[in-house]
Amino acid sequence: MTVTSAATHRYLSNTALYADPSLTEHIDYARWFRQSGRTGTPVVLAPHGGTLEPGTSRLCLAIARRSTCDYWLFESFQDNRSLHVTSSRCDDPVALALCAGTDRALSLHGCVTLPREGVLIGGLDTEFGEIVHAELGTRGFETIDAADHPTLAGRSPRNIVNRTRTGGGVQLELPLSLRDSMRDEPALFESFVDGVVAALRRVWRDGPVTG
């Protein structure tokens, strides 16, 4: 996610964005989700999909499809960042309900650069985060602890990924260069998806995770 102050955002909540009469859903933006109703099903989120943080929509759908987890995805179809609502201000009712019904949530974000190529892992669910570190690391991805990058750490309790029953989730920040590589290299994309699905399998032992 690009870090900007609240004052620079046109919409301070999803509710405000949806209420704007100048916007039309499925033309300017879209919301996609799966709400299976299975108790405790983990949730995969991409709050800034489409043109906002390119590549995160595709990753969200691939991980959710392969893992059978629930998901929520917001996509912008505009060529600017005006539809960016920060994760701590996300109040979409479906996203809130999905997170409130599970112990485990994972969100996918895009940042422009990191000090070194890798996946920044943050959020308040440290146990799940360590599992994601391990599964991606075994597949050759460098993982970076978000503790040293507070603006991207996803540690606000109001961040949508942390609005779970346990008060924690995992936030992944992927630099543009890595997202571009995954777009151009199918094997790299599949390896990343496999790693995240493997991590979900380890924390959702009673769920029908396949793949």
Side-chain angles (χ1 to χ4, degrees):
M1 74 178 73
T2 299
V3 179
T4 53
S5 69
T8 66
H9 286 85
R10 180 176 178 183
Y11 303 101
L12 298 183
S13 68
N14 291 75
T15 297
L17 187 154
Y18 303 154
D20 187 341
S22 71
L23 299 176
T24 302
E25 189 162 7
H26 300 298
I27 294 177
D28 298 295
Y29 69 91
R31 295 171 282 174
W32 313 99
F33 66 89
R34 176 167 63 211
Q35 193 168 20
S36 65
R38 299 188 303 256
T39 302
T41 302
V43 180
V44 183
L45 306 158
H48 306 130
T51 58
L52 293 173
E53 293 168 6
T56 59
S57 299
R58 183 176 173 227
L59 283 169
C60 177
L61 292 172
I63 292 166
R65 186 178 300 116
R66 193 170 303 175
S67 68
T68 74
C69 289
D70 289 340
Y71 72 90
W72 179 82
L73 162 64
F74 176 90
E75 288 190 299
S76 171
F77 302 139
Q78 296 189 358
D79 291 331
N80 58 58
R81 296 187 55 80
S82 67
L83 303 192
H84 185 281
V85 176
T86 61
S87 294
S88 61
R89 294 178 179 272
C90 176
D91 65 348
D92 180 276
V94 173
L96 289 171
L98 286 170
C99 289
T102 188
D103 295 335
R104 306 291 190 180
L106 179 141
S107 63
L108 298 151
H109 293 267
C111 56
V112 178
T113 61
L114 289 172
R116 61 184 190 272
E117 183 76 6
V119 181
L120 192 73
I121 301 180
L124 293 176
D125 190 340
T126 55
E127 178 189 18
F128 187 18
E130 286 300 319
I131 292 171
V132 176
H133 270 288
E135 292 294 344
L136 290 178
T138 61
R139 289 163 174 81
F141 291 93
E142 180 168 6
T143 59
I144 305 168
D145 192 328
D148 296 329
H149 306 275
T151 58
L152 297 174
R155 298 192 59 82
S156 168
R158 295 198 59 79
N159 186 313
I160 187 62
V161 80
N162 295 322
R163 304 288 289 272
T164 62
R165 295 186 301 201
T166 60
V170 170
Q171 176 170 296
L172 304 184
E173 290 277 357
L174 286 74
L176 181 60
S177 57
L178 178 58
R179 286 178 281 136
D180 285 346
S181 294
M182 286 197 282
R183 179 196 62 206
D184 299 333
E185 302 174 35
L188 186 66
F189 177 89
E190 293 299 326
S191 182
F192 182 88
V193 171
D194 285 345
V196 176
V197 170
L200 287 163
R201 181 182 294 117
R202 289 173 59 181
V203 298
W204 192 32
R205 296 182 182 88
D206 297 329
V209 179
T210 60

